[in-house]
Amino acid sequence: MNRISSAVAGGIAGTAVMTLMLLLLEVETRSAMDVFYVIALFVGTPEDPATGFALFVGAGIVAWPLLFIALEPYLPRGPDPAARGVVFAAVLWVPFVILGRGDIAGPLLIFYVAYTLFAHVAYGFTLGAVYGRLFDQLRQRGYR
């Protein structure tokens, strides 16, 4: 397993954690959030949550982990990749919370902001922890 596949494995684990958290949010709010509808709307395919979900999973498994390994040496909170993953995901959270809130307002908006920040922190921690663990195994074998 090389560095990229270690990051993708971290992305798979992080996306699984975040997907479960967002699905729990949908259940708890009785689908008031419609996160995947909002992502689909953002890319111009309204009323197609499958497209929104596919984009969410693709970005979480491939795009964000590759960006993470490119930026990881420059992120604060090192040398722990899990701590750097939290910083990375907190930065990703800002456009997500701004663009993905849909028509939410009032107290539900405060809950949405806090919960999605927690979900992003969980994603970043998991991404960094899995990546760091797998990449450390590579370093011990002499991979650079």
Side-chain angles (χ1 to χ4, degrees):
M1 183 171 280
N2 63 23
R3 189 172 184 209
I4 292 174
S5 57
S6 297
V8 170
I12 290 170
T15 301
V17 168
M18 191 166 172
T19 300
L20 289 175
M21 292 182 73
L22 291 178
L23 289 176
L24 182 61
L25 177 68
E26 290 289 327
V27 169
E28 290 297 321
T29 61
R30 297 182 181 142
S31 298
M33 304 293 182
D34 289 332
V35 173
F36 301 121
Y37 277 100
V38 172
I39 294 171
L41 179 65
F42 181 71
V43 295
T45 58
E47 303 300 322
D48 188 9
T51 299
F53 182 73
L55 289 172
F56 172 80
V57 170
I61 290 176
V62 178
W64 301 141
L66 295 179
L67 185 61
F68 175 70
I69 61 172
L71 298 177
E72 199 242 343
Y74 308 105
L75 293 171
R77 310 297 264 165
D80 183 11
R84 286 181 170 171
V86 169
V87 171
F88 177 75
V91 172
L92 292 177
W93 168 76
V94 173
F96 182 89
V97 77
I98 292 171
L99 299 173
R101 73 179 181 94
D103 297 331
I104 303 169
L108 196 55
L109 179 60
I110 295 168
F111 177 72
Y112 170 79
V113 168
Y115 191 89
T116 56
L117 177 61
F118 182 66
H120 276 79
V121 166
Y123 170 80
F125 181 84
T126 306
L127 166 68
V130 170
Y131 163 74
R133 173 77 179 194
L134 294 175
F135 194 59
D136 278 347
Q137 291 175 351
L138 290 175
R139 286 186 199 151
Q140 291 173 0
R141 293 181 194 152
Y143 177 80
R144 297 189 144 247

PDB file of all heavy atoms in Angstrom, residues 9-33:
ATOM      1  N   ALA A   9      -7.635   4.965   1.724  1.00  0.00           N
ATOM      2  CA  ALA A   9      -8.187   4.119   2.788  1.00  0.00           C
ATOM      3  C   ALA A   9      -8.675   4.987   3.954  1.00  0.00           C
ATOM      4  O   ALA A   9      -9.739   4.721   4.530  1.00  0.00           O
ATOM      5  CB  ALA A   9      -7.143   3.116   3.263  1.00  0.00           C
ATOM      6  N   GLY A  10      -7.916   6.016   4.281  1.00  0.00           N
ATOM      7  CA  GLY A  10      -8.365   6.961   5.308  1.00  0.00           C
ATOM      8  C   GLY A  10      -9.635   7.674   4.884  1.00  0.00           C
ATOM      9  O   GLY A  10     -10.534   7.911   5.700  1.00  0.00           O
ATOM     10  N   GLY A  11      -9.725   8.012   3.602  1.00  0.00           N
ATOM     11  CA  GLY A  11     -10.934   8.656   3.085  1.00  0.00           C
ATOM     12  C   GLY A  11     -12.143   7.746   3.144  1.00  0.00           C
ATOM     13  O   GLY A  11     -13.253   8.197   3.445  1.00  0.00           O
ATOM     14  N   ILE A  12     -11.938   6.479   2.866  1.00  0.00           N
ATOM     15  CA  ILE A  12     -13.053   5.518   2.956  1.00  0.00           C
ATOM     16  C   ILE A  12     -13.553   5.442   4.399  1.00  0.00           C
ATOM     17  O   ILE A  12     -14.759   5.518   4.648  1.00  0.00           O
ATOM     18  CB  ILE A  12     -12.609   4.137   2.441  1.00  0.00           C
ATOM     19  CG1 ILE A  12     -12.391   4.183   0.932  1.00  0.00           C
ATOM     20  CG2 ILE A  12     -13.629   3.060   2.813  1.00  0.00           C
ATOM     21  CD1 ILE A  12     -11.718   2.947   0.360  1.00  0.00           C
ATOM     22  N   ALA A  13     -12.623   5.328   5.340  1.00  0.00           N
ATOM     23  CA  ALA A  13     -13.024   5.239   6.751  1.00  0.00           C
ATOM     24  C   ALA A  13     -13.687   6.539   7.215  1.00  0.00           C
ATOM     25  O   ALA A  13     -14.733   6.513   7.878  1.00  0.00           O
ATOM     26  CB  ALA A  13     -11.807   4.912   7.614  1.00  0.00           C
ATOM     27  N   GLY A  14     -13.089   7.665   6.852  1.00  0.00           N
ATOM     28  CA  GLY A  14     -13.655   8.956   7.261  1.00  0.00           C
ATOM     29  C   GLY A  14     -15.016   9.210   6.642  1.00  0.00           C
ATOM     30  O   GLY A  14     -15.922   9.716   7.305  1.00  0.00           O
ATOM     31  N   THR A  15     -15.168   8.854   5.374  1.00  0.00           N
ATOM     32  CA  THR A  15     -16.455   9.053   4.703  1.00  0.00           C
ATOM     33  C   THR A  15     -17.524   8.154   5.310  1.00  0.00           C
ATOM     34  O   THR A  15     -18.682   8.567   5.445  1.00  0.00           O
ATOM     35  CB  THR A  15     -16.308   8.790   3.191  1.00  0.00           C
ATOM     36  OG1 THR A  15     -15.328   9.701   2.673  1.00  0.00           O
ATOM     37  CG2 THR A  15     -17.617   8.991   2.461  1.00  0.00           C
ATOM     38  N   ALA A  16     -17.149   6.944   5.695  1.00  0.00           N
ATOM     39  CA  ALA A  16     -18.118   6.049   6.345  1.00  0.00           C
ATOM     40  C   ALA A  16     -18.603   6.664   7.665  1.00  0.00           C
ATOM     41  O   ALA A  16     -19.809   6.676   7.943  1.00  0.00           O
ATOM     42  CB  ALA A  16     -17.489   4.681   6.587  1.00  0.00           C
ATOM     43  N   VAL A  17     -17.670   7.195   8.445  1.00  0.00           N
ATOM     44  CA  VAL A  17     -18.041   7.818   9.723  1.00  0.00           C
ATOM     45  C   VAL A  17     -18.950   9.026   9.483  1.00  0.00           C
ATOM     46  O   VAL A  17     -20.000   9.173  10.111  1.00  0.00           O
ATOM     47  CB  VAL A  17     -16.770   8.240  10.506  1.00  0.00           C
ATOM     48  CG1 VAL A  17     -17.113   9.132  11.677  1.00  0.00           C
ATOM     49  CG2 VAL A  17     -16.011   7.006  10.973  1.00  0.00           C
ATOM     50  N   MET A  18     -18.554   9.878   8.554  1.00  0.00           N
ATOM     51  CA  MET A  18     -19.328  11.102   8.312  1.00  0.00           C
ATOM     52  C   MET A  18     -20.685  10.795   7.686  1.00  0.00           C
ATOM     53  O   MET A  18     -21.691  11.431   8.018  1.00  0.00           O
ATOM     54  CB  MET A  18     -18.548  12.050   7.411  1.00  0.00           C
ATOM     55  CG  MET A  18     -19.150  13.421   7.325  1.00  0.00           C
ATOM     56  SD  MET A  18     -17.971  14.542   6.610  1.00  0.00           S
ATOM     57  CE  MET A  18     -18.980  15.974   6.412  1.00  0.00           C
ATOM     58  N   THR A  19     -20.749   9.800   6.810  1.00  0.00           N
ATOM     59  CA  THR A  19     -22.028   9.420   6.210  1.00  0.00           C
ATOM     60  C   THR A  19     -22.993   8.932   7.279  1.00  0.00           C
ATOM     61  O   THR A  19     -24.170   9.328   7.289  1.00  0.00           O
ATOM     62  CB  THR A  19     -21.814   8.327   5.141  1.00  0.00           C
ATOM     63  OG1 THR A  19     -20.944   8.838   4.128  1.00  0.00           O
ATOM     64  CG2 THR A  19     -23.126   7.903   4.516  1.00  0.00           C
ATOM     65  N   LEU A  20     -22.513   8.095   8.182  1.00  0.00           N
ATOM     66  CA  LEU A  20     -23.377   7.629   9.261  1.00  0.00           C
ATOM     67  C   LEU A  20     -23.856   8.787  10.129  1.00  0.00           C
ATOM     68  O   LEU A  20     -25.025   8.833  10.519  1.00  0.00           O
ATOM     69  CB  LEU A  20     -22.651   6.586  10.102  1.00  0.00           C
ATOM     70  CG  LEU A  20     -22.427   5.240   9.429  1.00  0.00           C
ATOM     71  CD1 LEU A  20     -21.585   4.324  10.312  1.00  0.00           C
ATOM     72  CD2 LEU A  20     -23.764   4.574   9.110  1.00  0.00           C
ATOM     73  N   MET A  21     -22.953   9.723  10.399  1.00  0.00           N
ATOM     74  CA  MET A  21     -23.346  10.868  11.223  1.00  0.00           C
ATOM     75  C   MET A  21     -24.385  11.734  10.505  1.00  0.00           C
ATOM     76  O   MET A  21     -25.355  12.193  11.119  1.00  0.00           O
ATOM     77  CB  MET A  21     -22.121  11.696  11.601  1.00  0.00           C
ATOM     78  CG  MET A  21     -21.188  10.961  12.540  1.00  0.00           C
ATOM     79  SD  MET A  21     -19.776  11.950  13.036  1.00  0.00           S
ATOM     80  CE  MET A  21     -20.577  13.101  14.150  1.00  0.00           C
ATOM     81  N   LEU A  22     -24.208  11.955   9.189  1.00  0.00           N
ATOM     82  CA  LEU A  22     -25.177  12.770   8.453  1.00  0.00           C
ATOM     83  C   LEU A  22     -26.506  12.052   8.282  1.00  0.00           C
ATOM     84  O   LEU A  22     -27.561  12.689   8.323  1.00  0.00           O
ATOM     85  CB  LEU A  22     -24.597  13.186   7.101  1.00  0.00           C
ATOM     86  CG  LEU A  22     -23.440  14.188   7.167  1.00  0.00           C
ATOM     87  CD1 LEU A  22     -22.914  14.485   5.767  1.00  0.00           C
ATOM     88  CD2 LEU A  22     -23.838  15.469   7.871  1.00  0.00           C
ATOM     89  N   LEU A  23     -26.468  10.737   8.119  1.00  0.00           N
ATOM     90  CA  LEU A  23     -27.726   9.995   8.047  1.00  0.00           C
ATOM     91  C   LEU A  23     -28.461  10.038   9.385  1.00  0.00           C
ATOM     92  O   LEU A  23     -29.685  10.149   9.429  1.00  0.00           O
ATOM     93  CB  LEU A  23     -27.470   8.554   7.609  1.00  0.00           C
ATOM     94  CG  LEU A  23     -27.050   8.387   6.148  1.00  0.00           C
ATOM     95  CD1 LEU A  23     -26.718   6.924   5.855  1.00  0.00           C
ATOM     96  CD2 LEU A  23     -28.131   8.878   5.205  1.00  0.00           C
ATOM     97  N   LEU A  24     -27.713   9.967  10.477  1.00  0.00           N
ATOM     98  CA  LEU A  24     -28.322  10.114  11.797  1.00  0.00           C
ATOM     99  C   LEU A  24     -28.941  11.499  11.958  1.00  0.00           C
ATOM    100  O   LEU A  24     -30.029  11.648  12.511  1.00  0.00           O
ATOM    101  CB  LEU A  24     -27.275   9.865  12.891  1.00  0.00           C
ATOM    102  CG  LEU A  24     -27.764   9.930  14.321  1.00  0.00           C
ATOM    103  CD1 LEU A  24     -28.825   8.872  14.577  1.00  0.00           C
ATOM    104  CD2 LEU A  24     -26.608   9.775  15.283  1.00  0.00           C
ATOM    105  N   LEU A  25     -28.264  12.511  11.436  1.00  0.00           N
ATOM    106  CA  LEU A  25     -28.808  13.871  11.465  1.00  0.00           C
ATOM    107  C   LEU A  25     -30.118  13.949  10.684  1.00  0.00           C
ATOM    108  O   LEU A  25     -31.082  14.566  11.145  1.00  0.00           O
ATOM    109  CB  LEU A  25     -27.779  14.852  10.879  1.00  0.00           C
ATOM    110  CG  LEU A  25     -28.199  16.301  10.760  1.00  0.00           C
ATOM    111  CD1 LEU A  25     -28.351  16.923  12.151  1.00  0.00           C
ATOM    112  CD2 LEU A  25     -27.187  17.087   9.939  1.00  0.00           C
ATOM    113  N   GLU A  26     -30.149  13.297   9.520  1.00  0.00           N
ATOM    114  CA  GLU A  26     -31.377  13.288   8.723  1.00  0.00           C
ATOM    115  C   GLU A  26     -32.522  12.617   9.482  1.00  0.00           C
ATOM    116  O   GLU A  26     -33.650  13.093   9.466  1.00  0.00           O
ATOM    117  CB  GLU A  26     -31.144  12.572   7.391  1.00  0.00           C
ATOM    118  CG  GLU A  26     -30.252  13.334   6.438  1.00  0.00           C
ATOM    119  CD  GLU A  26     -30.923  14.565   5.860  1.00  0.00           C
ATOM    120  OE1 GLU A  26     -32.143  14.562   5.657  1.00  0.00           O
ATOM    121  OE2 GLU A  26     -30.206  15.544   5.615  1.00  0.00           O
ATOM    122  N   VAL A  27     -32.211  11.525  10.152  1.00  0.00           N
ATOM    123  CA  VAL A  27     -33.242  10.807  10.900  1.00  0.00           C
ATOM    124  C   VAL A  27     -33.726  11.644  12.080  1.00  0.00           C
ATOM    125  O   VAL A  27     -34.925  11.786  12.312  1.00  0.00           O
ATOM    126  CB  VAL A  27     -32.706   9.436  11.372  1.00  0.00           C
ATOM    127  CG1 VAL A  27     -33.651   8.786  12.364  1.00  0.00           C
ATOM    128  CG2 VAL A  27     -32.474   8.527  10.180  1.00  0.00           C
ATOM    129  N   GLU A  28     -32.778  12.213  12.811  1.00  0.00           N
ATOM    130  CA  GLU A  28     -33.139  12.978  14.015  1.00  0.00           C
ATOM    131  C   GLU A  28     -33.920  14.254  13.687  1.00  0.00           C
ATOM    132  O   GLU A  28     -34.710  14.713  14.491  1.00  0.00           O
ATOM    133  CB  GLU A  28     -31.887  13.317  14.813  1.00  0.00           C
ATOM    134  CG  GLU A  28     -31.254  12.116  15.482  1.00  0.00           C
ATOM    135  CD  GLU A  28     -32.156  11.474  16.527  1.00  0.00           C
ATOM    136  OE1 GLU A  28     -32.838  12.191  17.261  1.00  0.00           O
ATOM    137  OE2 GLU A  28     -32.180  10.235  16.577  1.00  0.00           O
ATOM    138  N   THR A  29     -33.663  14.836  12.521  1.00  0.00           N
ATOM    139  CA  THR A  29     -34.375  16.064  12.154  1.00  0.00           C
ATOM    140  C   THR A  29     -35.542  15.776  11.213  1.00  0.00           C
ATOM    141  O   THR A  29     -36.124  16.704  10.667  1.00  0.00           O
ATOM    142  CB  THR A  29     -33.422  17.066  11.488  1.00  0.00           C
ATOM    143  OG1 THR A  29     -32.901  16.485  10.294  1.00  0.00           O
ATOM    144  CG2 THR A  29     -32.320  17.481  12.429  1.00  0.00           C
ATOM    145  N   ARG A  30     -35.863  14.509  11.037  1.00  0.00           N
ATOM    146  CA  ARG A  30     -36.959  14.083  10.151  1.00  0.00           C
ATOM    147  C   ARG A  30     -36.801  14.669   8.751  1.00  0.00           C
ATOM    148  O   ARG A  30     -37.708  15.268   8.184  1.00  0.00           O
ATOM    149  CB  ARG A  30     -38.304  14.446  10.748  1.00  0.00           C
ATOM    150  CG  ARG A  30     -38.529  13.734  12.052  1.00  0.00           C
ATOM    151  CD  ARG A  30     -39.862  14.034  12.627  1.00  0.00           C
ATOM    152  NE  ARG A  30     -39.953  13.318  13.892  1.00  0.00           N
ATOM    153  CZ  ARG A  30     -40.531  13.793  14.970  1.00  0.00           C
ATOM    154  NH1 ARG A  30     -41.108  14.961  14.930  1.00  0.00           N
ATOM    155  NH2 ARG A  30     -40.559  13.098  16.060  1.00  0.00           N
ATOM    156  N   SER A  31     -35.573  14.542   8.252  1.00  0.00           N
ATOM    157  CA  SER A  31     -35.188  14.969   6.894  1.00  0.00           C
ATOM    158  C   SER A  31     -35.362  16.461   6.653  1.00  0.00           C
ATOM    159  O   SER A  31     -35.566  16.891   5.519  1.00  0.00           O
ATOM    160  CB  SER A  31     -35.940  14.164   5.828  1.00  0.00           C
ATOM    161  OG  SER A  31     -35.605  12.804   5.929  1.00  0.00           O
ATOM    162  N   ALA A  32     -35.259  17.261   7.687  1.00  0.00           N
ATOM    163  CA  ALA A  32     -35.332  18.710   7.516  1.00  0.00           C
ATOM    164  C   ALA A  32     -34.066  19.260   6.878  1.00  0.00           C
ATOM    165  O   ALA A  32     -34.080  20.353   6.322  1.00  0.00           O
ATOM    166  CB  ALA A  32     -35.576  19.396   8.865  1.00  0.00           C
ATOM    167  N   MET A  33     -32.968  18.537   6.986  1.00  0.00           N
ATOM    168  CA  MET A  33     -31.692  19.031   6.468  1.00  0.00           C
ATOM    169  C   MET A  33     -31.533  18.774   4.972  1.00  0.00           C
ATOM    170  O   MET A  33     -31.062  19.616   4.247  1.00  0.00           O
ATOM    171  CB  MET A  33     -30.516  18.383   7.212  1.00  0.00           C
ATOM    172  CG  MET A  33     -30.563  18.560   8.699  1.00  0.00           C
ATOM    173  SD  MET A  33     -30.345  20.290   9.112  1.00  0.00           S
ATOM    174  CE  MET A  33     -30.375  20.218  10.869  1.00  0.00           C
TER     175      MET A  33
END
